Amino acid sequence: VVAGSNEDQVYMVLMDPLDGSSNIDVAVSIGSIFGIWRRETSEPVDENSLLRPGSEQVAAAYVVYGSSTVMVVATRGSVQGFTLDVELGSFVMTHADLTIPNECPYYSTNEGNFNNLEETTQGAIKDLRDNLSLRYVGSLVADFHRNLLKGGIFLYPSDKNRPNGRLRLMYEANPLGFVVEQAGGSASTGVTRILDVIPDELHQRTPLILGNKDFVEKVVHIISG
């Protein structure tokens, strides 16, 4: 969490500084994720003031560290991508006005967890399996970035062992949910819109389904029975 308490420090940043850290030693893409909220300057900065729904974000961003270093920044109605130019030592715009493609060729999920899923969720995965190609890196930010550029749906749903999901609401699901919505996509818990979830605690976990809007809606429909 980054937040100052002075009146001129008007933003709060909740971040996952190293998403996909288990992939560091095998040279697989990892990243950082940032959610940005406007701070109520009349309130102290504490856990209660940080517990804001994702719909109140004013911006969100993520960075992918891989074959290149790419930063994607979303504000209301705008998603812009920048690539680090190592010779200049600065980021240059390389992906202007990003929108998720209409076509959805990929799905990203941990198929090894299939037997732990509820029956309706298994049905949704089977439907994706029959119609799309599996692409799964195991770093949320890397899987999301590919699907944002190429079209796709990412799923880490609730299961029998994790009924509340695994990913963190405040600094994983909310920021990427904001990005994907600004790019024309959708993000859900499987029951409700991610950005509508009212947080109870800072490290709250959540199921996460996000990507192409029509595919997210279809998966949610199947999961809901």
Side-chain angles (χ1 to χ4, degrees), residues 9-31:
Q9 295 170 319
V10 296
Y11 296 103
M12 305 183 303
V13 180
L14 275 71
M15 64 179 177
D16 180 353
L18 198 56
D19 174 75
S21 57
S22 62
N23 284 321
I24 292 175
D25 291 340
V26 291
V28 172
S29 295
I30 55 177

Side-chain angles (χ1 to χ4, degrees), residues 50-97:
L50 295 169
L51 294 179
R52 308 264 292 277
S55 59
E56 295 184 10
Q57 290 172 107
V58 296
Y62 66 86
V63 183
V64 179
Y65 315 114
S67 56
S68 60
T69 299
V70 178
M71 176 174 62
V72 174
V73 180
T75 55
R76 297 283 176 182
S78 171
V79 183
Q80 310 295 330
F82 306 84
T83 302
L84 178 64
D85 186 317
V86 294
E87 293 186 358
L88 293 176
S90 60
F91 284 90
V92 295
M93 181 177 286
T94 51
H95 301 78
D97 302 321

Side-chain angles (χ1 to χ4, degrees), residues 159-224:
D159 59 41
K160 297 171 185 176
N161 296 327
R162 296 188 180 97
N164 296 322
R166 181 178 183 275
L167 299 174
R168 306 291 186 170
L169 172 66
M170 295 304 297
Y171 41 88
E172 291 181 312
N174 270 333
L176 296 187
F178 182 89
V179 173
V180 79
E181 284 199 4
Q182 307 316 306
S186 182
S188 175
T189 66
V191 176
T192 189
R193 177 184 178 228
I194 280 288
L195 301 188
D196 287 339
V197 176
I198 305 300
D200 296 317
E201 56 179 314
L202 192 58
H203 302 292
Q204 182 170 329
R205 296 181 186 272
T206 182
L208 179 61
I209 303 165
L210 78 170
N212 285 67
K213 186 174 183 179
D214 52 346
F215 276 79
V216 171
E217 290 176 349
K218 183 178 181 181
V219 166
V220 170
H221 178 74
I222 295 173
I223 289 175
S224 67

Side-chain angles (χ1 to χ4, degrees), residues 133-146:
S133 296
L134 174 65
R135 297 288 187 275
Y136 186 64
V137 174
S139 295
L140 168 61
V141 70
D143 279 309
F144 175 77
H145 183 62
R146 179 198 54 250

Side-chain angles (χ1 to χ4, degrees), residues 41-58:
T41 55
S42 60
E43 297 179 357
V45 177
D46 56 24
E47 185 163 328
N48 289 330
S49 65
L50 295 169
L51 294 179
R52 308 264 292 277
S55 59
E56 295 184 10
Q57 290 172 107
V58 296

